[in-house]
Amino acid sequence: MTSPTLTSPPPQKPRRRGLVALSAVLAAGLGVTFVAVATNASAAEVPLSQGRPATASSVESAAFPASAAVDGNAGTRWSSTFADPQWLQVDLGSTQTISRVVLNWEAAYASAFTIQTSANGTAWTNISPVTTGRAGEQTLTVSGSGRYVRMNGTTRATPYGYSLWEFQVFGNSVTPTTPTPTPTGPALPTSDRPDFGPNVRIFDPGTAASTIQSAVDQAFNAQLRSPTAQFGTQRHVFLFKPGTYGRVWANVGFYTTVAGLGINPDDVTINGAVNVDSGWNYGDEKNATQNFWRSMENLSIVPEGGTNRWAVSQAAPMRRVHIKGNLTLAPSNQDNGQGYSSGGYLADSVVDGVVSSGSQQQWYTRDSRVARWDGGVWNMVFSGVQGAPGNAFPNPPHTTLATTPVTREKPFLYIDSSANYRVFVPALRRNSAGASWPNTAGASIPMREFYVAKPGDSAARINQALAQGLNLFFTPGTYSLNDTIRVTRANTVVTGIGYPTLIPTGGVEALNVADVDGVKISGITFDAGTTNSPTLMTVGRAGVHTDHAANPTSIQDVFFRIGSSVQGKATTTLAVHSDDTIIDHIWAWRADHGGAPTGWTVNTGDTGLIVNGDDVLATGLFVEHYQKYEVIWNGNRGKTIFFQNEKPYDVPNQAAWIGPRGNGYAAYKVADNVTDHQLWGGGSYAYFNVNPSVRVDRAFEVPNRAGVQLRSVLTVSLGDVGTIANVVNDTGGSVPNPAGNTTPRNVVAYP
């Protein structure tokens, strides 16, 4: 029986806002340029320290680093060694005017300390008198300026060290809702018929089938059982202009995209297959669990033999596709204990026949139509899917919601009747179900309003394009960034094809999105650089709550890696401060393997996602292997539909992994002060292969109140390697499950 509490999300609660910005709805049509209107700037006290680089005179152990005091999480802390004096400092990034400091002391506080500022981190000025601390929160009104701010403790109140849950620095800053950047240099050229670079092949119906087959075979065969392909620099995009194509069998490897260039999927028909299977990946030929970083979009397939195979795992979306037959998501060798596959994402698609999930451990399907769905291992989640199976978790493991609360489909490239290229931006939908096409509502933007970025472009050039008022279109390749890409204009579209990969250098943040309406970020991959970045991507500004419900920012098919071809480091990969943001399919991954060596002290990363915004929705959230809380949700009225997680494999021992509430860190942490939060369909798995004796006390950690609800959540010990003691808080029981190998623990509803 389908539970009425699960088939449809409850209505949103009324908002309580201090200030609500006046917004206008602009008509959109062919050739529309989105125009952002700046409002008056106003002075406001804002938090300056959260997520910024922090250092300390000492740490009690690796479990209590300086960064824990500025991570926005009151459950983690910095603690010093047991000696006087000690200090903790934060780098604000530039000189700021400081008005207030909030210290949240643990029981080990300072009986004498001062707050100091510095322009260079060397010469310090007191901006507070010598002050006595106290356990708990302490607020100091101060007056001064500096890039660096520190708590300088001279006397301890206890025999232990100095210990702060949070160290928050506030200042007065002018924050326009839509800053107007000033372009520098001559205007960058644009075109409605741009050159997409050598990694993009474009076919038309007149292209010989043998030519197409040769091109796709050459791209795939170069990766066949290659020891370097998984983290290589190769990028391939195959675009098909409207029309019907003869027999094409396209095997899809790493960093490969196959997409149609019609306004609707049925404008492009491929006879044959767009195929992903096992047997080709070096060192793991028997499984499909590493079939990452490939995609299929905006076309229809008449599958040879009646069934198309798409045996993928993370970061391999299928969007806006019409399968005129059956679809199988499992590899051809799935039987006899072989051929595992690890979970993927399907949206805005139609499958005329049966979808068979086979050996897929988990899968999320959104806003689509299928004739029937067969199968399920641990966690199959559906929202807005016509023809989806009824809610039955855990037997079978189907979690079904009749609609998706808010959706905006991913922007896509197409070619118009004049042979000009355009990007279509679908409109927002509420309580959606089924595919958005044909007749998709939205706006079409000509390519002349995009800067088409290519590998080798600098951050300065990309920011110049944004300052010029252009959108961004990233072509396939890798981009080294010595500065942050800053998106400050409302309704800016930043999209890419073929897994363009942004790599920050020198510890900078790769992408920062202002707290403005309607920014669309999609199709981008981030690799952490060798110098630690506090964050790889930020949306909005900490402490700022502007109502963006009518036109939220959306993040789609955006993937983060800490450790890949480089030994990357990042404290947090994605921080979302803007209210109402839509997170639609991300994979934040601290690598358990890579082209460069990986390990507990090598590719370091605390948290995959921090959500501080209210009313944020995540649909298809994949976060894996981080060293502390992997998801921290501080905002109210948040919703997640489908969550997939694996705990870090490489914890060396229990002493190195003690969290604020016992052994290890939960995968999904809802802050204690949150009063309203909902999660449907979440799984967390342990595989502590470096030290199987390691345990984590719980996979999901949430406040115990009626408004915080989890539905269909589970834990698994993969191969019975390592222990998760409970599913949610102290509920659900332990894995390994005594009933047998790799048997999950399930919690249908909490509380």
Side-chain angles (χ1 to χ4, degrees):
M1 178 181 291
T2 300
S3 167
T5 62
L6 281 167
T7 56
S8 183
Q12 288 191 350
K13 295 189 176 182
R15 296 168 177 269
R16 295 176 175 85
R17 308 279 190 185
L19 293 173
V20 179
L22 178 65
S23 58
V25 178
L26 303 177
L30 291 178
V32 166
T33 300
F34 292 104
V35 179
V37 180
T39 63
N40 291 331
S42 59
E45 188 183 54
V46 296
L48 303 172
S49 53
Q50 186 165 312
R52 300 301 305 170
T55 53
S57 52
S58 68
V59 294
E60 179 182 350
S61 73
F64 306 108
S67 60
V70 294
D71 62 3
N73 176 19
T76 62
R77 63 186 173 94
W78 162 71
S79 182
S80 76
T81 56
F82 304 168
D84 293 317
Q86 301 287 344
W87 51 262
L88 171 79
Q89 72 182 46
V90 60
D91 178 1
L92 304 180
S94 61
T95 299
Q96 302 286 340
T97 300
I98 313 303
S99 59
R100 184 164 58 99
V101 175
V102 178
L103 305 99
N104 187 356
W105 294 100
E106 200 239 356
Y109 60 92
S111 61
F113 71 96
T114 55
I115 302 298
Q116 301 175 323
T117 61
S118 174
N120 54 17
T122 302
W124 294 92
T125 301
N126 289 342
I127 60 170
S128 80
V130 176
T131 304
T132 299
R134 62 172 182 269
E137 191 169 286
Q138 181 179 20
T139 299
L140 303 180
T141 300
V142 296
S143 178
S145 64
R147 172 174 173 170
Y148 300 88
V149 181
R150 79 176 181 181
M151 183 285 300
N152 189 46
T154 53
T155 308
R156 291 168 292 147
T158 73
Y160 303 100
Y162 297 78
S163 185
L164 282 164
W165 296 106
E166 284 294 298
F167 180 62
Q168 296 175 294
V169 179
F170 293 81
N172 292 317
S173 179
V174 175
T175 56
T177 57
T178 309
T180 304
T182 301
T184 59
L188 297 174
T190 65
S191 172
D192 283 335
R193 300 181 184 182
D195 174 13
F196 294 111
N199 297 322
V200 178
R201 292 287 303 271
I202 302 174
F203 305 119
D204 61 49
T207 307
S210 59
T211 300
I212 300 173
Q213 191 65 54
S214 176
V216 297
D217 285 349
Q218 184 178 5
F220 180 77
N221 290 340
Q223 302 187 35
L224 192 60
R225 299 183 181 87
S226 165
T228 60
Q230 186 170 166
F231 300 97
T233 59
Q234 79 282 357
R235 300 289 187 273
H236 302 286
V237 175
F238 300 105
L239 301 178
F240 291 80
K241 292 181 179 180
T244 299
Y245 293 80
R247 201 262 188 190
V248 174
W249 188 281
N251 288 312
V252 183
F254 288 117
Y255 316 110
T256 301
T257 294
V258 178
L261 287 171
I263 192 67
N264 285 305
D266 287 337
D267 293 343
V268 174
T269 300
I270 292 177
N271 289 277
V274 180
N275 181 70
V276 179
D277 201 351
S278 61
W280 64 275
N281 186 38
Y282 175 81
D284 193 29
E285 290 87 352
K286 292 183 179 181
N287 295 305
T289 54
Q290 294 180 39
N291 284 353
F292 311 140
W293 306 307
R294 63 204 70 197
S295 64
M296 173 166 51
E297 300 184 41
N298 198 33
L299 49 75
S300 65
I301 300 173
V302 179
E304 188 173 292
T307 299
N308 195 82
R309 187 178 304 279
W310 189 252
V312 298
S313 291
Q314 290 78 14
M318 180 188 292
R319 289 184 181 266
R320 203 175 173 83
V321 169
H322 187 184
I323 304 294
K324 297 179 177 180
N326 301 318
L327 175 66
T328 182
L329 305 175
S332 54
N333 67 328
Q334 67 174 335
D335 298 324
N336 303 315
Q338 296 179 341
Y340 300 112
S341 42
S342 184
Y345 174 94
L346 172 67
D348 200 26
S349 294
V350 172
V351 180
D352 292 343
V354 177
V355 181
S356 172
S357 61
S359 62
Q360 287 287 350
Q361 296 161 347
Q362 63 274 314
W363 191 278
Y364 177 52
T365 307
R366 179 182 65 70
D367 292 279
S368 297
R369 185 178 78 245
V370 302
R372 192 177 81 237
W373 184 282
D374 285 347
V377 176
W378 294 325
N379 187 29
M380 305 285 120
V381 181
F382 310 84
S383 68
V385 179
Q386 297 163 342
N391 185 76
F393 183 88
N395 188 25
H398 297 154
T399 302
T400 303
L401 292 78
T403 62
T404 308
V406 186
T407 54
R408 178 196 283 132
E409 298 302 337
K410 179 184 174 184
F412 62 90
L413 180 71
Y414 75 102
I415 192 167
D416 66 16
S417 59
S418 300
N420 292 324
Y421 288 92
R422 309 178 74 94
V423 171
F424 193 87
V425 181
L428 205 67
R429 297 200 294 169
R430 298 190 185 279
N431 298 315
S432 55
S436 69
W437 52 271
N439 305 315
T440 304
S444 177
I445 308 176
M447 282 303 297
R448 64 179 176 271
E449 297 183 15
F450 283 82
Y451 176 69
V452 177
K454 295 179 180 176
D457 278 348
S458 66
R461 186 174 177 87
I462 293 169
N463 280 325
Q464 180 186 347
L466 289 167
Q468 191 174 312
L470 296 173
N471 303 293
L472 292 179
F473 190 99
F474 284 93
T475 59
T478 57
Y479 297 75
S480 180
L481 304 174
N482 63 358
D483 196 5
T484 302
I485 297 173
R486 296 177 177 86
V487 178
T488 61
R489 180 174 57 88
N491 298 309
T492 301
V493 178
V494 179
T495 191
I497 55 173
Y499 294 83
T501 305
L502 310 185
I503 307 177
T505 62
V508 303
E509 181 178 60
L511 179 63
N512 186 283
V513 180
D515 190 58
V516 295
D517 273 355
V519 176
K520 294 91 179 172
I521 309 291
S522 63
I524 307 293
T525 298
F526 295 82
D527 271 358
T530 55
T531 301
N532 185 76
S533 294
T535 56
L536 293 181
M537 175 178 169
T538 297
V539 177
R541 189 161 185 175
V544 176
H545 289 278
T546 305
D547 191 339
H548 298 293
N551 189 14
T553 286
S554 51
I555 304 167
Q556 299 175 291
D557 296 349
V558 173
F559 309 123
F560 303 89
R561 306 190 298 196
I562 300 181
S564 58
S565 57
V566 295
Q567 293 178 326
K569 298 176 175 62
T571 304
T572 300
T573 45
L574 174 62
V576 175
H577 305 300
S578 286
D579 290 358
D580 308 291
T581 299
I582 299 169
I583 305 169
D584 179 40
H585 189 221
I586 70 166
W587 185 33
W589 185 60
R590 177 182 164 264
D592 60 276
H593 65 284
T598 59
W600 189 251
T601 61
V602 178
N603 57 316
T604 54
D606 286 358
T607 300
L609 171 66
I610 295 178
V611 177
N612 293 321
D614 293 335
D615 302 289
V616 172
L617 170 67
T619 53
L621 183 57
F622 298 75
V623 183
E624 297 189 294
H625 308 313
Y626 287 80
Q627 293 170 293
K628 293 186 178 178
Y629 289 124
E630 307 204 44
V631 172
I632 300 172
W633 208 294
N634 296 316
N636 250 321
R637 298 180 299 279
K639 295 181 176 70
T640 294
I641 304 173
F642 182 88
F643 171 67
Q644 187 263 328
N645 166 262
E646 284 185 0
K647 301 305 298 169
Y649 292 175
D650 54 349
V651 182
N653 52 64
Q654 196 67 62
W657 204 48
I658 300 295
R661 296 188 178 175
N663 293 312
Y665 292 82
Y668 193 98
K669 164 71 175 176
V670 179
D672 293 345
N673 62 344
V674 170
T675 59
D676 188 324
H677 185 89
Q678 296 175 78
L679 163 66
W680 294 267
S684 179
Y685 315 137
Y687 184 65
F688 300 129
N689 64 328
V690 169
N691 188 337
S693 68
V694 168
R695 59 184 283 136
V696 58
D697 286 345
R698 60 197 62 85
F700 299 85
E701 187 174 297
V702 303
N704 286 306
R705 50 175 60 100
V708 178
Q709 301 176 350
L710 278 61
R711 302 292 182 262
S712 304
V713 291
L714 69 139
T715 57
V716 175
S717 178
L718 300 171
D720 292 355
V721 179
T723 299
I724 304 176
N726 274 295
V727 181
V728 186
N729 293 349
D730 298 322
T731 298
S734 177
V735 290
N737 189 335
N741 183 56
T742 315
T743 301
R745 291 284 189 179
N746 302 298
V747 171
V748 175
Y750 186 93

